[in-house]
Amino acid sequence: MLRLAVRQRNFIRGLIAAVFLAAILVFADLFVLSRSAALIFNHAMADQTMLRGTVTVEKLRANILGEVRFENLEWKDAGGGTILFVPRGSFRARPYDVLTGNLKSTTIQELTLDGAVLSMALDDDMQFDFLRHSPELDAAEEAALKEKERAEKERAKDKNARREDLTEAELKALGEKVRAERTQAMHEHLRNFDREGRKLRLKLDLTNCRGELFYRRCHYLLQGMEIHADINTAEAVAIKGTIVGLGGTMRGNGMTINGAVDMREPATPVADLSVLVSEVDPSSLGFGMNIRDKMTLSVRFTGPLAAMEGAGTVRLRDLHIPGIAFKNVEGMVHWRDARLDFTDVTADVFGGRLYAYGDYDLDTRYWHLYGHGEGLEAAEGFPNGYLDCKVDLDLVIRSAGSTQRTEYSGSFRSGAGTYRWVLPFVSLSGTFDSAWRDLRFGDLEIDFGDGYRARAATFRRKDGEVTLAPIELYDAEGKRSAFGWKEKW
């Protein structure tokens, strides 16, 4: 028994000594890592091929826990233009890779960028790249930016004038051609970031960052980015974050994103991403007619990354289109390729309620709305009509991308009311058909009750001139009389 107890004590002592020696070796290795951080960084930057150009850092310091902190990291392209600037940040590397000198794409396990300024691009296939900073990211370029905006407005004006001469089919073909050319250009572009199929496994944190994103001829400025991504290019990429300011061609209060991309099939990654865009200007998403009312869009995108489809909700407190002011607009939206379909849309309009659906084509900027309104106040819809009644209507709006090329049509029927507060009637009914500076009503009828009715085949106001067909009066026994006046006045 005595010999067994001695052996146990010796074994425990040996185990403690081995653990203590291992701890000393580990801390010694980490100490070596902390003391040689700059050497390791320079070696890694000299050997890496994923980042085109040069990467420099002003200060590096490491601790024995394996964390390396840096200041003023700058990545420049071959022409000397800044691609990425990070005033401060940190990374954690795999100790074994560092100690053996076997640095590879998975060596960095954690990366934090604090206050970074990034320029990013996505092509139509959702291939990611970094770009040289644009003048919009530099406040010192304000004068040049204003000149650029002025030139872009002139080009947009000329472009819109040319678009008006194209048919819907031609505009659709043009949109598909532009996407194909843009994708080809991105493929031919010498990429600044290309992992060449190598794996990445790291946790990425962006804190208080700002940047810009180029996507589908749009330039988005992003402020206050707080993004966390868990990246494993062999399995999945999970992302969660917020952006507190949107500018450029998308102006809004902010955006949140949450979801993942399944990377197990490298050729066809599959996305499941939820995006909430708050108080954004609809025209920044390509909507025509300069619709500036603030919109909140919540969409879940699913499917292959290069061909995602989105489904969600849209909300606007106010929506103004020529001649109609909507409030409390809510509905469902489905986003596929360049087409948005809206369903189950409801809105308050003219004191009543509208139920609608429609579609919008980002290529052609054509859109359609089909609605049914109930309980609309005639006095709000026609403030100079001296009518006091509630109206139900069926409405169709077809737009070819501008106010001048927007047409309205439909029919209406009212309940009981009064004209000029003294002439009572049982109902009003008719059809309407309106285009730019051309308002037409047809089959107009006023039912006064007890069989008395008044009818007019047409009422038209075009370019300030009014045309009214003769008014026919009826009683319970049939036509009684008709009268008219100058055809136009």
Side-chain angles (χ1 to χ4, degrees):
M1 288 293 292
L2 182 60
R3 289 181 179 178
L4 181 60
V6 170
R7 288 177 182 175
Q8 288 178 338
R9 285 197 299 271
N10 290 338
F11 174 76
I12 292 173
R13 289 171 181 171
L15 181 61
I16 293 173
V19 170
F20 186 68
L21 178 61
I24 291 175
L25 291 174
V26 169
F27 276 96
D29 289 340
L30 292 174
F31 179 76
V32 171
L33 172 61
S34 68
R35 299 294 292 179
S36 57
L39 182 64
I40 294 168
F41 177 84
N42 292 334
H43 175 67
M45 290 301 101
D47 289 347
Q48 67 84 27
T49 58
M50 286 195 297
L51 309 181
R52 178 173 169 262
T54 59
V55 180
T56 59
V57 65
E58 186 176 297
K59 292 182 181 180
L60 275 173
R61 58 183 182 276
N63 58 40
I64 60 174
L65 298 178
E67 182 185 40
V68 179
R69 294 183 177 274
F70 58 84
E71 293 181 13
N72 296 332
L73 181 146
E74 193 164 18
W75 172 18
K76 292 181 177 290
D77 62 19
T82 300
I83 297 174
L84 172 67
F85 175 75
V86 187
R88 57 200 163 272
S90 64
F91 65 85
R92 193 181 297 274
R94 194 184 303 274
Y96 180 80
D97 292 353
V98 175
L99 294 172
T100 60
N102 183 27
L103 303 180
K104 50 191 176 182
S105 61
T106 56
T107 296
I108 302 298
Q109 295 180 300
E110 298 177 13
L111 176 61
T112 299
L113 306 181
D114 185 1
V117 183
L118 311 95
S119 294
M120 303 160 286
L122 288 171
D123 65 13
D124 285 357
D125 291 330
M126 301 299 286
Q127 296 297 310
F128 180 84
D129 197 11
F130 289 98
L131 302 178
R132 176 186 292 201
H133 290 179
S134 73
E136 285 83 344
L137 276 179
D138 189 350
E141 299 285 349
E142 184 176 356
L145 176 57
K146 288 183 178 179
E147 176 61 24
K148 180 181 177 181
E149 290 179 344
R150 186 197 63 78
E152 286 180 347
K153 286 181 180 179
E154 290 296 327
R155 287 196 296 270
K157 185 177 180 180
D158 294 340
K159 182 179 177 181
N160 289 335
R162 292 194 299 270
R163 288 173 62 92
E164 291 184 359
D165 295 329
L166 301 178
T167 65
E168 183 175 5
E170 290 172 335
L171 287 169
K172 190 68 178 175
L174 178 62
E176 294 172 353
K177 178 183 177 182
V178 168
R179 282 198 299 275
E181 290 176 347
R182 192 167 59 244
T183 299
Q184 182 64 26
M186 287 293 288
H187 287 166
E188 294 174 354
H189 167 67
L190 188 59
R191 302 178 65 87
N192 292 313
F193 172 74
D194 191 351
R195 62 185 180 91
E196 299 173 333
R198 286 170 289 192
K199 296 179 180 179
L200 295 176
R201 292 194 187 96
L202 78 152
K203 297 183 185 298
L204 174 65
D205 283 292
L206 303 180
T207 302
N208 192 30
C209 296
R210 64 186 179 93
E212 58 186 341
L213 174 66
F214 294 88
Y215 178 56
R216 288 190 172 182
R217 293 177 292 174
C218 292
H219 182 196
Y220 304 108
L221 298 178
L222 313 173
Q223 300 289 334
M225 290 190 290
E226 301 284 338
I227 305 292
H228 173 75
D230 193 344
I231 302 172
N232 183 345
T233 54
E235 296 291 337
V237 175
I239 184 171
K240 182 178 182 179
T242 60
I243 298 169
V244 298
L246 299 172
T249 51
M250 175 186 281
R251 301 185 182 275
N253 284 357
M255 178 174 70
T256 63
I257 183 170
N258 188 14
V261 179
D262 189 333
M263 304 291 289
R264 287 175 293 183
E265 293 292 336
T268 56
V270 178
D272 187 352
L273 301 169
S274 296
V275 177
L276 173 65
V277 185
S278 302
E279 300 292 304
V280 69
D281 182 341
S283 64
S284 64
L285 299 177
F287 286 78
M289 295 179 61
N290 292 319
I291 297 175
R292 301 292 182 180
D293 300 293
K294 302 306 181 183
M295 175 176 68
T296 295
L297 190 65
S298 177
V299 180
R300 181 181 180 185
F301 292 95
T302 57
L305 190 61
M308 294 185 294
E309 295 187 18
T313 60
V314 58
R315 293 183 176 86
L316 298 93
R317 286 194 296 269
D318 299 283
L319 173 60
H320 296 84
I321 62 177
I324 305 179
F326 300 96
K327 289 185 176 295
N328 303 319
V329 181
E330 296 184 358
M332 308 297 294
V333 60
H334 182 264
W335 195 330
R336 180 179 182 181
D337 295 329
R339 180 183 171 97
L340 286 81
D341 288 288
F342 300 93
T343 57
D344 300 324
V345 179
T346 60
D348 297 327
V349 58
F350 299 148
R353 195 71 168 161
L354 178 73
Y355 306 88
Y357 65 96
D359 58 78
Y360 183 84
D361 193 301
L362 292 169
D363 283 336
T364 63
R365 298 185 183 177
Y366 283 34
W367 60 271
H368 306 87
L369 184 145
Y370 309 90
H372 173 71
E374 297 179 353
L376 280 61
E377 294 287 351
E380 294 188 25
F382 298 96
N384 297 321
Y386 304 104
L387 293 170
D388 182 13
C389 62
K390 292 185 179 297
V391 178
D392 293 349
L393 64 78
D394 291 305
L395 172 69
V396 176
I397 306 177
R398 300 179 178 88
S399 176
S402 68
T403 303
Q404 293 87 343
R405 303 174 70 188
T406 300
E407 298 179 352
Y408 304 77
S409 61
S411 60
F412 64 91
R413 184 175 186 84
S414 81
T418 59
Y419 174 67
R420 288 187 178 270
W421 308 285
V422 294
L423 181 60
F425 55 82
V426 176
S427 68
L428 300 172
S429 62
T431 63
F432 58 91
D433 186 4
S434 176
W436 176 245
R437 294 180 177 176
D438 187 4
L439 175 63
R440 299 178 297 274
F441 289 95
D443 299 324
L444 295 169
E445 179 175 297
I446 304 176
D447 186 347
F448 294 104
D450 297 327
Y452 289 92
R453 292 167 295 158
R455 291 179 177 176
T458 59
F459 171 90
R460 184 175 188 179
R461 182 171 183 172
K462 182 177 182 181
D463 296 325
E465 291 187 341
V466 175
T467 302
L468 177 63
I471 296 177
E472 299 175 341
L473 300 177
Y474 295 82
D475 62 13
E477 298 179 358
K479 182 177 179 181
R480 299 291 293 175
S481 62
F483 64 90
W485 40 77
K486 291 172 58 177
E487 189 173 307
K488 297 181 179 181
W489 70 92

